[in-house]
């Protein structure tokens, strides 16, 4: 619903006067407030004065949902899945918007109206402020989604972060869901030398007090009883481009069409300082019963959820007791306050938890090509990848596939089959038993992630000696491990011993076991298992859904330089790396004394400039089926290569055993790694 057009004379004079907070104004009784209220300052200036002079003002209520980190927020709110950007759109419609530290210059927030920049095209300057580096484009997908949501009157959920200083109020949490808003205006401004988009939102429900209103503020006057309902901003047509623009600023009307020659000029000159026109701040689109909320601000995801392994079952929920967004960190469900991690509500932890019964899934329901895959795998290899050596004899009834990477290491894939899997206490039974045991599986925050608080996309639990992989996982002693874990350890010790000794090395028996649990849509991204305290052998048993394991050279070894283009000091020039021949020829010249170090470095830099960017393509692709074992051997395999595993259906377990060097570990930690296998836990290779 656009405001009714009220043409004004071109370049109409400024309507000056007192700027009142729109809607329900402040009612805090402080003298500062009284003096601010009687001032003629623009609300943004008031907010910045507040920021400088006093602590933010307490708010009246509490948000319907909140979070302490972006991943938890986006995990629980289907209408704001944007972990990094400020706008969430899908299918060309905008559904959610986040206001945080930087709303841009000339922004405004009060109880009913928000004026902010639209993200995109920005970079951070030396002071950490976002600066526009390119013109924003009307056709960009973000902006297009805002135009569409405006046109179709789609209410948009808005979230405010506590780094936002424009509102000047004490926000209770890091991220706070505000309410539904409608987009009333979208226009362009000149920001520095660039053109950037701005948007004005109006709260959908004008009759309810906003929770972020100043504490004790009176309820808003119902819309149809307001005496300023007639207020409309002025609208005028540009003589040059023929398009209409609203008068947004006190200082005068301007054409706001970015393509027009007269864009952003008042009386032919670019404006110097601008303040919002009170009519632009105070006008309200009339509420309409035809405008529908298409989604819930606080969705009740649990009420209709029955299955515990499907993708939606490991999304976040909003705590029904305290409104916090909580991700599913536990195999069995959600806990509002995480036992292991400091509470976000110190002194007042919320005890809400929701555990869902885990149905025991049959193997058949997670394996499509039941029993067929291992046979297929043994007959066909894709020539795009390294072809393994095939050996059907040595470890019969397993088929042994060996991938050798010269000067690096080897990977042995032991292909299981129906006879192995169906033996008593074999993989079929293990798959069943692991689903019923209380193993302590949970998701942990990734140590190195772009967005703090991002959790792994799989559940993990560590037994035996402590091991840090992509996350830091507390370890349980083998004396606490259920029998099926020890039985798996028996298989993995067998696989380690058989493959490593056959390759002519002395095997080190594993003293640690990491169990990973994957629900539908989960995976482990590229990583290495190359912690310095680790032995060179890593053995994994796969149970349940089929998965694809990929191995690729790490970026810096493939390209001979880091992503910041710093050449490797000690480049191993591995088989298959980019420009391998040229890199080797140059190295040979250095070793042969034909060029000096300085010349070598200079020519190497020139050579590496030819490198393309992007990650190396994987060179080994393995299809891991239920019951298969994989043994990676060689410290350099972890140093120079990385691996990822993506299951293709719901429910898979991976049990990985390693040898952790005892140096530097406490007596307690060493004790956790001690175990004796009972005869039924020792594996005989059948
Ligand atoms: O899921 C798998 O098979 C591999 C797991 C893995 O790479 C690891 O535990 O480090
Ligand atoms: Fe791994």
């Amino acid at each position: 619903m656009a405001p009714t057009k009220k043409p004004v004379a071109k370049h109409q004079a400024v309507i000056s006067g007192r700027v009142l907070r729109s809607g329900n104004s402040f009612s805090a009784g402080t003298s500062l407030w009284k003096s601010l209220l009687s001032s003629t300052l623009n609300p943004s200036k008031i907010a910045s004065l507040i920021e400088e002079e006093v602590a933010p003002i307490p708010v009246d209520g509490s948000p319907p949902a909140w979070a302490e980190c972006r991943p938890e927020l986006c995990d629980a709110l289907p209408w704001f899945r944007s972990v990094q950007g400020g706008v969430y759109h899908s299918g060309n419609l905008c559904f959610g918007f986040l206001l945080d530290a930087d709303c841009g210059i000339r922004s405004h927030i009060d109880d009913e109206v928000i004026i902010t920049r639209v993200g995109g095209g920005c970079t951070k300057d030396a002071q950490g402020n976002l600066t526009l580096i390119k013109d924003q484009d009307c056709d960009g997908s973000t902006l297009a989604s805002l135009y569409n949501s405006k046109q179709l009157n789609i209410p948009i959920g808005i979230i405010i972060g506590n780094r936002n200083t424009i509102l000047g109020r004490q926000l209770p949490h890091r991220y706070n869901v505000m309410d539904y808003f409608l987009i009333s205006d979208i226009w362009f401004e000149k920001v520095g030398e660039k053109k950037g988009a701005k948007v004005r939102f109006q709260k959908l429900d004008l009759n309810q007090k906003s929770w972020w209103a100043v504490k004790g503020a009176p309820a808003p006057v119902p819309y149809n009883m307001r005496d300023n309902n007639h207020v409309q901003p002025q609208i005028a047509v540009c003589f040059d481009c023929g398009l209409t623009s609203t008068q947004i600023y006190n200082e005068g009307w301007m054409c706001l069409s970015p393509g027009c020659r007269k864009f952003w000029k008042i009386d032919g000159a670019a404006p110097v300082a601008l303040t919002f026109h009170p009519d632009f701040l105070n006008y309200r689109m009339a509420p309409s019963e035809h405008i529908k909320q298409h989604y819930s601000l606080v969705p009740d995801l649990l009420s209709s959820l029955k299955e515990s392994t499907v993708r939606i079952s490991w999304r976040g929920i909003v705590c029904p007791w305290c409104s916090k967004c909580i991700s599913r960190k536990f195999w069995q469900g959600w806990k509002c306050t995480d036992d292991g991690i400091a509470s976000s509500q110190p002194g007042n932890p919320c005890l809400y938890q929701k555990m869902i019964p885990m149905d025991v899934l049959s193997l058949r329901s997670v394996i499509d090509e039941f029993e067929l895959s291992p046979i297929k795998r043994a007959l066909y290899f894709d020539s795009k990848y390294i072809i393994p050596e095939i050996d059907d004899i040595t470890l019969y009834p397993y088929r042994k596939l060996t991938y050798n990477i010269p000067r690096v290491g080897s990977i042995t894939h032991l292909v299981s089959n129906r006879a192995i899997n169906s033996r008593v206490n074999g993989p079929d039974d293990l798959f069943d038993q692991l689903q019923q045991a209380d193993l302590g599986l949970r998701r942990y925050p990734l140590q190195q992630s772009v967005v703090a608080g991002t959790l792994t996309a799989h559940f993990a639990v560590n037994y035996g000696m402590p091991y840090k992989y992509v996350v830091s996982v507390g370890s349980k002693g083998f004396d606490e491990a259920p029998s099926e874990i020890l039985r798996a350890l028996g298989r993995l010790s067998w696989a380690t011993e058989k493959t490593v000794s056959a390759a002519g090395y002395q095997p080190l028996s594993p003293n640690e076991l990491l169990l990973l649990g994957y629900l539908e849509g989960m995976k482990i991204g590229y990583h290495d298992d190359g912690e310095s305290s680790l032995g060179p052998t890593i053995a994994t048993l796969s149970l349940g859904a089929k998965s694809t394991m990929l191995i690729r050279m790490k970026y810096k070894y493939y390209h001979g330089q880091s992503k910041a283009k710093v050449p490797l000091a000690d480049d191993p020039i591995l088989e298959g790396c980019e420009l391998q021949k040229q890199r080797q020829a140059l190295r040979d010249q250095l070793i042969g004394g034909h060029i000096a170090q300085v010349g070598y470095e200079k020519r190497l830099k020139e050579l590496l400039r030819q490198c393309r960017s992007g990650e190396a393509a994987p060179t080994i692709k393995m299809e891991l089926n239920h019951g298969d074992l994989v043994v990676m051997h060689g410290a350099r395999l972890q140093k120079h290569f990385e691996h990822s595993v993506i299951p293709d259906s719901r429910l898979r377990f991976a049990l990985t055993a390693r040898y952790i060097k005892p140096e530097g570990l406490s007596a307690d930690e060493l004790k956790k790694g001690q175990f004796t296998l009972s005869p039924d836990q020792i594996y005989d290779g059948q």
Side-chain angles (χ1 to χ4, degrees):
M1 271 185 298
T4 49
K5 289 186 180 175
K6 203 160 87 177
V8 290
K10 196 176 158 217
H11 304 167
Q12 175 152 353
V14 175
I15 305 153
S16 63
R18 243 172 66 172
V19 177
L20 285 174
R21 281 253 165 168
S22 49
N24 41 342
S25 312
F26 312 116
S27 70
T30 63
S31 55
L32 174 84
W33 278 115
K34 284 184 183 140
S35 59
L36 284 177
L37 275 173
S38 61
S39 80
T40 54
L41 290 174
N42 161 311
S44 318
K45 283 225 179 80
I46 296 181
S48 65
L49 266 179
I50 297 160
E51 196 200 353
E52 281 163 27
E53 296 192 12
V54 291
I57 302 300
V59 293
D60 196 65
S62 47
W66 57 275
E68 289 304 337
C69 66
R70 275 294 276 273
E72 275 199 319
L73 180 76
C74 301
D75 205 17
L77 301 178
W79 53 267
F80 195 75
R81 293 270 193 242
S82 174
V83 186
Q84 281 184 286
V87 185
Y88 177 70
H89 57 95
S90 161
N92 297 324
L93 291 173
C94 171
F95 292 105
F97 202 97
L98 170 74
L99 307 163
D100 205 14
D102 202 325
C103 290
I105 53 165
R106 292 183 288 275
S107 46
H108 168 99
I109 306 176
D110 62 38
D111 297 354
E112 292 180 345
V113 168
I114 293 171
I115 298 173
T116 178
R117 59 186 281 278
V118 177
C122 291
T123 188
K124 281 200 172 150
D125 67 11
Q127 283 74 45
N129 300 317
L130 288 175
T131 333
L132 260 189
I133 48 164
K134 62 177 196 233
D135 286 340
Q136 277 180 331
D137 180 353
C138 305
D139 301 330
S141 59
T142 301
L143 211 46
S145 75
L146 286 162
Y147 277 117
N148 290 339
S149 288
K150 174 176 183 294
Q151 187 73 21
L152 299 170
N153 284 322
I154 306 282
I156 291 176
I158 298 194
I159 300 153
I160 187 163
N162 66 3
R163 295 195 183 139
N164 182 288
T165 54
I166 306 295
L167 181 62
R169 296 189 198 155
Q170 202 176 344
L171 294 167
H173 307 286
R174 176 70 189 94
Y175 298 105
N176 309 272
V177 169
M178 296 179 95
D179 211 325
Y180 287 114
F181 286 74
L182 291 170
I183 298 177
S184 61
D185 301 82
I186 301 174
W187 69 99
F188 281 82
E189 285 194 357
K190 196 119 186 238
V191 186
E193 284 310 300
K194 304 293 173 200
K195 290 168 192 164
K198 294 285 281 245
V199 58
R200 178 188 184 275
F201 295 99
Q202 173 186 312
K203 197 177 157 223
L204 181 65
D205 185 351
L206 296 175
N207 294 336
Q208 286 295 322
K209 198 202 290 187
S210 303
W211 65 259
W212 62 95
V214 168
K215 195 172 181 57
V221 177
Y223 175 81
N224 45 21
M225 289 166 66
R226 294 187 187 183
D227 54 13
N228 59 352
N229 278 349
H230 61 278
V231 171
Q232 289 294 337
Q234 306 286 345
I235 289 175
V237 176
C238 171
F239 284 172
D240 213 82
C241 69
L243 298 172
T244 52
S245 292
T246 302
Q247 178 172 352
I248 289 175
Y249 307 101
N250 270 319
E251 289 68 17
W253 179 93
M254 297 184 269
C255 176
L256 299 176
S257 311
C260 178
R261 285 187 306 152
K262 294 283 158 66
F263 171 72
W264 204 247
K265 289 194 180 108
I266 299 176
D267 292 329
V272 183
L274 290 167
T275 46
F276 287 115
H277 193 289
D279 286 352
F280 185 66
L281 292 180
N282 291 335
Y283 93 92
R284 297 289 179 268
M285 300 183 292
S288 159
E289 61 185 40
H290 301 296
I291 297 177
K292 296 274 178 288
Q293 302 166 7
H294 298 272
Y295 57 89
S296 316
L297 273 184
V298 180
D300 183 4
L301 296 175
L302 291 173
S303 62
S304 53
L305 183 72
K306 292 198 183 67
E307 304 82 359
S308 54
T309 52
V310 291
R311 173 65 186 94
I312 197 67
S313 74
W314 57 279
R315 282 289 189 199
I317 58 167
V318 178
C319 173
W321 291 0
C322 76
S323 306
K324 184 183 174 207
C325 296
I326 26 180
S327 289
R328 180 160 167 196
K329 290 195 185 129
F330 300 88
W331 185 250
Q332 283 86 357
W334 299 262
K335 280 189 195 173
C336 190
T337 304
D338 187 341
D339 336 303
I341 293 169
S343 164
S344 51
Q345 304 121 282
N348 184 24
C350 173
L351 299 179
Y352 177 79
Q353 61 177 57
K354 175 78 188 177
M355 299 293 141
I356 34 176
M358 300 288 289
D359 310 323
V360 178
L361 295 187
S362 65
L363 259 180
R364 185 67 191 94
S365 71
V366 302
I367 303 177
D368 183 18
E369 300 165 308
F370 199 54
E371 296 180 0
L372 289 182
S373 293
I375 301 162
K376 229 178 63 183
R377 185 73 198 106
L379 297 174
Y380 169 74
F381 298 99
D382 187 339
S383 60
K384 263 205 334 242
Y385 304 97
I386 298 180
I387 307 280
E389 281 166 26
I390 304 172
D391 168 1
D392 280 330
I393 315 246
T394 320
L395 295 177
Y396 183 82
Y398 286 97
R399 164 165 272 206
K400 183 180 175 192
L401 304 174
T402 310
Y403 299 84
N404 279 310
I405 307 179
R407 297 191 292 133
V408 171
S410 66
I411 299 170
T412 311
H413 178 185
L414 302 182
V415 181
S416 187
N417 55 44
R418 194 184 61 83
I420 296 170
N421 291 346
S422 57
R423 276 183 71 204
V424 173
N425 282 336
D428 293 2
D429 286 349
L430 271 175
F431 180 70
D432 243 44
Q433 291 154 0
L434 288 181
Q435 291 186 64
Q436 293 169 73
D438 183 8
L439 300 161
L441 278 165
R442 50 165 300 167
R443 290 165 72 202
Y444 292 87
L446 280 164
Q447 278 159 342
Q448 290 177 331
S449 71
V450 184
V451 183
T454 304
L455 299 176
T456 54
H458 53 261
F459 293 85
V461 61
N462 199 72
Y463 288 95
M465 305 270 259
Y467 166 56
K468 278 198 261 78
Y469 71 129
V470 278
V471 297
S472 202
V473 189
S475 195
K476 296 173 186 249
F478 278 127
D479 53 355
E480 286 182 62
S483 182
E484 37 279 15
I485 293 288
L486 295 176
R487 220 173 286 121
L489 185 59
R491 280 179 180 257
L492 294 164
S493 306
W494 171 85
T496 301
E497 138 74 26
K498 292 293 174 203
T499 52
V500 174
S501 48
Y505 300 99
Q506 180 64 35
L508 289 164
S509 271
N511 54 14
E512 176 271 349
L513 185 144
L514 181 74
L515 165 65
L516 300 187
Y518 300 86
L519 302 182
E520 185 180 66
M522 291 190 142
K523 61 172 190 175
I524 187 162
Y526 276 106
H527 70 283
D528 66 60
D529 295 7
E531 215 206 317
S532 58
S533 61
L534 221 62
T537 315
I538 294 148
T540 304
L541 167 66
S542 286
L543 297 175
K546 181 174 89 183
S547 65
T548 304
M549 180 169 190
L550 297 170
I551 317 269
R552 74 178 181 198
M553 206 180 286
K554 287 185 189 168
Y555 185 98
K556 60 182 173 183
Y557 296 105
Y558 182 65
H559 293 291
Q561 58 187 344
S562 67
K563 287 188 178 159
K565 301 212 178 300
V566 180
L568 278 180
D570 192 10
D571 183 358
I573 317 181
L574 300 170
E575 190 69 38
C577 68
E578 204 182 13
L579 304 173
Q580 183 192 345
K581 282 207 184 91
Q582 293 93 319
R583 271 153 76 180
Q584 191 59 56
L586 199 58
R587 172 71 61 80
D588 291 344
Q589 286 193 38
L590 175 72
I591 294 168
H594 306 297
I595 48 172
Q597 183 69 26
V598 184
Y600 169 75
E601 284 171 13
K602 188 165 166 271
R603 285 177 57 187
L604 183 63
K605 266 207 142 144
E606 280 162 18
L607 175 66
L608 296 182
R609 245 180 249 137
Q610 295 172 29
C611 281
R612 285 168 291 117
S613 56
E615 296 288 354
T619 46
I620 296 178
K621 180 178 180 184
M622 289 181 283
E623 190 180 277
L624 307 183
N625 287 287
H626 174 65
D628 285 5
L629 291 151
V630 171
V631 183
M632 294 192 268
H633 181 75
R636 290 173 135 218
L637 188 56
Q638 304 303 328
K639 184 172 179 203
H640 301 319
F641 284 74
E642 53 192 359
H643 55 279
S644 71
V645 180
I646 306 176
D648 73 353
S649 162
R650 67 185 160 146
L651 207 52
R652 172 175 181 267
F653 294 105
L655 300 108
T656 302
R658 303 162 176 85
Y659 171 79
I660 308 280
K661 296 176 193 162
E663 292 92 61
L665 293 183
S666 67
D668 263 6
E669 288 172 321
L670 292 174
K671 201 167 147 277
K672 287 184 175 175
Q674 283 164 14
F675 66 96
T676 320
L677 298 180
S678 59
D680 68 305
Q681 291 163 342
I682 295 170
Y683 186 50
D684 60 2
Q686 292 304 299

